[in-house]
Amino acid sequence: MKKLLLAFAVAAFAALPAFAAENPWVGNWKLDMSKSHFTGDTFTYSRAANGMMHFSDGSIESYDFKVDGKPYHSWGNRTATWTADGDNAWSQVVEADGKTLATIHRSLSADGKTLSNTYTGTKPDGTSFNDTATYVRVSGTKGLEGKWRSTKVSISAPDNFVISEPSPGTMRWELPSEKASVEGKADGSDLTINGPTLPPGMTIAFKPEGRHKFSYVQKLNGKVQGYGTQTLAADGKSYTDVSWSPGKASEEQTAFYVKQ
């Protein structure tokens, strides 16, 4: 789910030189879940040599933890605190610098083949969220251990994005619900993405591939976290963002945005 949130963090920022008097990317954009595709990503739980549990998404997030109510560093400035809710259920509190960002409830089906996750919390603007994701077992036989693949994702409150052009060739993107923003030019340089829930050192670099397409690279403290492309529809009323994590191009995610 973290990758999904990161995809939102970069998906709506499309800055380009002043190709014409009217920039087709400028406006308010909203995610259309019915035309988006966020399933197919995988992760693995295994038993580490030190006896702890190990989580890996096969790309950017990998950490050891115990289900003991103690925080363990997971990614960026995040920590994960796991507790048991029974034999086949667990809760995880995600924090950044001691502040709770989300609570994740995981429940394993009786046959051990399906893992259901629920993500709840409050965004910086006070908006609450209650999202869900369903994963099916790819390997392993019991408990969390094994490889899992997502088959269904539901987002309770898709975000709106605002893209503006403060000056010729300079674009500004804002995500009001997250109080996040980034501003700059499409020259391939790393631009800092600012926001109270984003880890320090998060940047995005992008370049145009014609008037209606961009490619971008997202980094955290200089390390690549994701790649993507954005393609504007010919009528300028929608665009498609395709993103993937390093080494996992086969698990690309597609977000479809509609101009309001």
Coordinates of all heavy atoms in Angstrom, one line a residue, residues 12 93 173-175 215:
A12 N 0.4 13.2 -10.1 CA -0.3 14.3 -10.7 C 0.6 15.5 -11.0 O 0.1 16.5 -11.5 CB -1.4 14.8 -9.7
V93 N 1.0 -0.3 13.2 CA 0.9 1.2 13.3 C 2.1 1.8 12.5 O 3.2 1.4 12.8 CB 0.9 1.7 14.7 CG1 0.9 3.2 14.7 CG2 -0.3 1.2 15.5
W173 N 2.6 21.9 -8.4 CA 1.6 20.9 -8.2 C 1.3 20.9 -6.7 O 2.2 21.1 -5.8 CB 2.1 19.6 -8.5 CG 1.4 18.4 -7.9 CD1 0.2 17.9 -8.3 CD2 1.8 17.6 -6.8 NE1 -0.1 16.8 -7.5 CE2 0.8 16.7 -6.6 CE3 3.0 17.6 -6.0 CZ2 0.9 15.7 -5.6 CZ3 3.1 16.7 -5.0 CH2 2.0 15.8 -4.8
E174 N 0.0 20.8 -6.4 CA -0.4 20.8 -5.0 C -1.4 19.6 -4.7 O -2.3 19.4 -5.6 CB -1.1 22.1 -4.6 CG -0.2 23.3 -4.6 CD -0.9 24.6 -4.4 OE1 -1.1 24.9 -3.2 OE2 -1.4 25.2 -5.4
L175 N -1.2 18.9 -3.6 CA -2.2 17.9 -3.2 C -2.8 18.4 -1.9 O -2.2 18.2 -0.8 CB -1.4 16.6 -3.0 CG -2.2 15.4 -2.4 CD1 -3.4 15.1 -3.3 CD2 -1.3 14.2 -2.4
S215 N 8.2 11.6 -18.8 CA 8.8 10.5 -18.0 C 9.3 11.1 -16.7 O 9.7 12.3 -16.7 CB 9.9 9.7 -18.8 OG 11.0 10.6 -19.0

